[in-house]
Amino acid sequence: MTDWRAQFSDFGGRAWLDCAAQGPFPRETSEAVRAALRLKEHPEEITPDLFTALPDRARTAAARLIGSHPSSIALGSGASHGMNLAAQGLPFRQGDEVLIGRGEFPAVTLPFVNLAPAGVTVRFVEPAAGRDVAVDDYARAVSARTRAIAVSLVAFATGFRVDLAAHGDLCRRLGLFLVVDGAQAIGALDFHVADHPIDLLAVSGYKWLLAPYGTGFTYVSPRVVDRMRVPHVNWQTVEGANQLNRPYDHELRFRHGAARFDAAETASFLNLSGFIASVEWINRVRVPTIE
């Protein structure tokens, strides 16, 4: 058996169970952050390829975690980045509505509420029975205006795990987008994105991924990646970004896949080094072991 206690701090002599709030660093993550700190102390040691090598490693680690291709991974600062990407990037039109269950976390609801000036509304779905909103509740609430459903894979307040396969089947049958907040699930529950027909999955790094605060990623399905608008332009996500000596024609030709949606300053040494170390550690341990 692995001596798991040796992989972490001693937590002041306590047992730490609240990864739903803050996941602790494995010791090798702390070492990776210290090595990244040295790069800022000694910038002469920074190699030019680091700006692409770090994001590439992070994308590969995140893709392995959920069973996707790295080209479907956008790197961000947390789940809120992914939820805002869904709200601002998906092709909503005036008059559309998004269904969200009553009691969802604000990071799920507020990006879509922010679409009100564009004529897109949020309709909150009430549970027919019990505390949690089930797929049948969403099915009854769908109208001709409904364009998307946004759900948390695991509810922050109750721990309720939605039937994501059923939600996906409903959305495919009715032609709706399915947006999922995986902050309370990914890293804790064995999950493969190919098993669930979802369009966007937003993940924060600092909870069950045991990574730094201000890290995360979003899975963007190949079904929607070319239908989405890029809401925030990051110069590093366009073609030829690393060819700084070329004549610049000011045309927007975004990189292939979800990388076009990366948050700015993607290759943050301190954050991304810690994120890579933690996710690679989880991949070695394997999520079924953790679950």
mmCIF file of all heavy atoms in Angstrom, residues 17-33:
data_model
loop_
_atom_site.group_PDB
_atom_site.id
_atom_site.type_symbol
_atom_site.label_atom_id
_atom_site.label_comp_id
_atom_site.label_asym_id
_atom_site.label_seq_id
_atom_site.Cartn_x
_atom_site.Cartn_y
_atom_site.Cartn_z
ATOM 1 N N LEU A 17 -10.350 16.829 5.203
ATOM 2 C CA LEU A 17 -11.336 16.161 4.358
ATOM 3 C C LEU A 17 -12.020 17.107 3.382
ATOM 4 O O LEU A 17 -12.787 16.652 2.534
ATOM 5 C CB LEU A 17 -12.407 15.498 5.234
ATOM 6 C CG LEU A 17 -11.898 14.496 6.269
ATOM 7 C CD1 LEU A 17 -13.057 13.976 7.111
ATOM 8 C CD2 LEU A 17 -11.169 13.347 5.598
ATOM 9 N N ASP A 18 -11.771 18.410 3.482
ATOM 10 C CA ASP A 18 -12.578 19.389 2.745
ATOM 11 C C ASP A 18 -11.933 19.813 1.432
ATOM 12 O O ASP A 18 -11.700 20.989 1.187
ATOM 13 C CB ASP A 18 -12.850 20.608 3.624
ATOM 14 C CG ASP A 18 -14.007 21.444 3.101
ATOM 15 O OD1 ASP A 18 -14.669 20.984 2.142
ATOM 16 O OD2 ASP A 18 -14.244 22.532 3.627
ATOM 17 N N CYS A 19 -11.662 18.837 0.574
ATOM 18 C CA CYS A 19 -11.144 19.171 -0.757
ATOM 19 C C CYS A 19 -12.199 19.874 -1.610
ATOM 20 O O CYS A 19 -11.865 20.461 -2.641
ATOM 21 C CB CYS A 19 -10.658 17.919 -1.474
ATOM 22 S SG CYS A 19 -9.159 17.209 -0.771
ATOM 23 N N ALA A 20 -13.455 19.828 -1.185
ATOM 24 C CA ALA A 20 -14.497 20.581 -1.887
ATOM 25 C C ALA A 20 -14.282 22.076 -1.735
ATOM 26 O O ALA A 20 -14.828 22.865 -2.507
ATOM 27 C CB ALA A 20 -15.874 20.199 -1.347
ATOM 28 N N ALA A 21 -13.470 22.478 -0.755
ATOM 29 C CA ALA A 21 -13.135 23.897 -0.567
ATOM 30 C C ALA A 21 -11.726 24.180 -1.059
ATOM 31 O O ALA A 21 -11.518 25.011 -1.934
ATOM 32 C CB ALA A 21 -13.273 24.287 0.905
ATOM 33 N N GLN A 22 -10.751 23.490 -0.500
ATOM 34 C CA GLN A 22 -9.348 23.650 -0.910
ATOM 35 C C GLN A 22 -8.665 22.295 -0.877
ATOM 36 O O GLN A 22 -8.616 21.643 0.173
ATOM 37 C CB GLN A 22 -8.610 24.612 0.035
ATOM 38 C CG GLN A 22 -8.949 26.070 -0.150
ATOM 39 C CD GLN A 22 -8.285 26.674 -1.388
ATOM 40 O OE1 GLN A 22 -7.383 26.089 -1.988
ATOM 41 N NE2 GLN A 22 -8.746 27.862 -1.769
ATOM 42 N N GLY A 23 -8.151 21.876 -2.013
ATOM 43 C CA GLY A 23 -7.364 20.651 -2.051
ATOM 44 C C GLY A 23 -5.918 20.955 -1.696
ATOM 45 O O GLY A 23 -5.357 21.947 -2.155
ATOM 46 N N PRO A 24 -5.282 20.134 -0.879
ATOM 47 C CA PRO A 24 -3.887 20.379 -0.492
ATOM 48 C C PRO A 24 -2.910 19.980 -1.594
ATOM 49 O O PRO A 24 -3.190 19.086 -2.393
ATOM 50 C CB PRO A 24 -3.706 19.496 0.741
ATOM 51 C CG PRO A 24 -4.625 18.338 0.486
ATOM 52 C CD PRO A 24 -5.820 18.916 -0.242
ATOM 53 N N PHE A 25 -1.765 20.636 -1.615
ATOM 54 C CA PHE A 25 -0.709 20.256 -2.553
ATOM 55 C C PHE A 25 -0.095 18.915 -2.161
ATOM 56 O O PHE A 25 0.277 18.721 -0.996
ATOM 57 C CB PHE A 25 0.424 21.286 -2.536
ATOM 58 C CG PHE A 25 0.167 22.531 -3.333
ATOM 59 C CD1 PHE A 25 1.121 23.546 -3.360
ATOM 60 C CD2 PHE A 25 -0.999 22.706 -4.052
ATOM 61 C CE1 PHE A 25 0.909 24.706 -4.085
ATOM 62 C CE2 PHE A 25 -1.219 23.861 -4.781
ATOM 63 C CZ PHE A 25 -0.263 24.861 -4.796
ATOM 64 N N PRO A 26 0.088 17.999 -3.111
ATOM 65 C CA PRO A 26 1.056 16.925 -2.889
ATOM 66 C C PRO A 26 2.458 17.545 -2.766
ATOM 67 O O PRO A 26 2.703 18.640 -3.277
ATOM 68 C CB PRO A 26 0.946 16.066 -4.153
ATOM 69 C CG PRO A 26 -0.375 16.433 -4.755
ATOM 70 C CD PRO A 26 -0.598 17.874 -4.401
ATOM 71 N N ARG A 27 3.341 16.863 -2.123
ATOM 72 C CA ARG A 27 4.676 17.431 -1.894
ATOM 73 C C ARG A 27 5.390 17.760 -3.203
ATOM 74 O O ARG A 27 6.109 18.752 -3.304
ATOM 75 C CB ARG A 27 5.516 16.474 -1.042
ATOM 76 C CG ARG A 27 5.000 16.309 0.385
ATOM 77 C CD ARG A 27 6.006 15.616 1.268
ATOM 78 N NE ARG A 27 5.480 15.422 2.619
ATOM 79 C CZ ARG A 27 5.495 16.349 3.568
ATOM 80 N NH1 ARG A 27 6.001 17.536 3.307
ATOM 81 N NH2 ARG A 27 5.005 16.091 4.767
ATOM 82 N N GLU A 28 5.185 16.949 -4.236
ATOM 83 C CA GLU A 28 5.885 17.220 -5.485
ATOM 84 C C GLU A 28 5.322 18.458 -6.195
ATOM 85 O O GLU A 28 6.031 19.092 -6.978
ATOM 86 C CB GLU A 28 5.872 16.015 -6.407
ATOM 87 C CG GLU A 28 4.514 15.534 -6.835
ATOM 88 C CD GLU A 28 4.630 14.180 -7.518
ATOM 89 O OE1 GLU A 28 5.004 13.183 -6.858
ATOM 90 O OE2 GLU A 28 4.362 14.125 -8.729
ATOM 91 N N THR A 29 4.077 18.818 -5.892
ATOM 92 C CA THR A 29 3.546 20.071 -6.416
ATOM 93 C C THR A 29 4.254 21.257 -5.776
ATOM 94 O O THR A 29 4.611 22.233 -6.450
ATOM 95 C CB THR A 29 2.032 20.163 -6.171
ATOM 96 O OG1 THR A 29 1.389 19.077 -6.855
ATOM 97 C CG2 THR A 29 1.473 21.482 -6.669
ATOM 98 N N SER A 30 4.455 21.190 -4.482
ATOM 99 C CA SER A 30 5.199 22.255 -3.802
ATOM 100 C C SER A 30 6.597 22.392 -4.384
ATOM 101 O O SER A 30 7.098 23.502 -4.575
ATOM 102 C CB SER A 30 5.278 21.961 -2.299
ATOM 103 O OG SER A 30 3.990 21.917 -1.717
ATOM 104 N N GLU A 31 7.221 21.265 -4.705
ATOM 105 C CA GLU A 31 8.562 21.308 -5.299
ATOM 106 C C GLU A 31 8.513 21.949 -6.686
ATOM 107 O O GLU A 31 9.404 22.724 -7.050
ATOM 108 C CB GLU A 31 9.122 19.889 -5.388
ATOM 109 C CG GLU A 31 9.388 19.246 -4.025
ATOM 110 C CD GLU A 31 9.729 17.774 -4.141
ATOM 111 O OE1 GLU A 31 9.814 17.271 -5.289
ATOM 112 O OE2 GLU A 31 9.894 17.123 -3.090
ATOM 113 N N ALA A 32 7.470 21.651 -7.448
ATOM 114 C CA ALA A 32 7.334 22.246 -8.785
ATOM 115 C C ALA A 32 7.135 23.753 -8.696
ATOM 116 O O ALA A 32 7.674 24.514 -9.511
ATOM 117 C CB ALA A 32 6.173 21.593 -9.529
ATOM 118 N N VAL A 33 6.361 24.209 -7.713
ATOM 119 C CA VAL A 33 6.147 25.646 -7.550
ATOM 120 C C VAL A 33 7.438 26.329 -7.131
ATOM 121 O O VAL A 33 7.757 27.432 -7.599
ATOM 122 C CB VAL A 33 5.028 25.901 -6.526
ATOM 123 C CG1 VAL A 33 4.926 27.390 -6.203
ATOM 124 C CG2 VAL A 33 3.699 25.394 -7.058
#
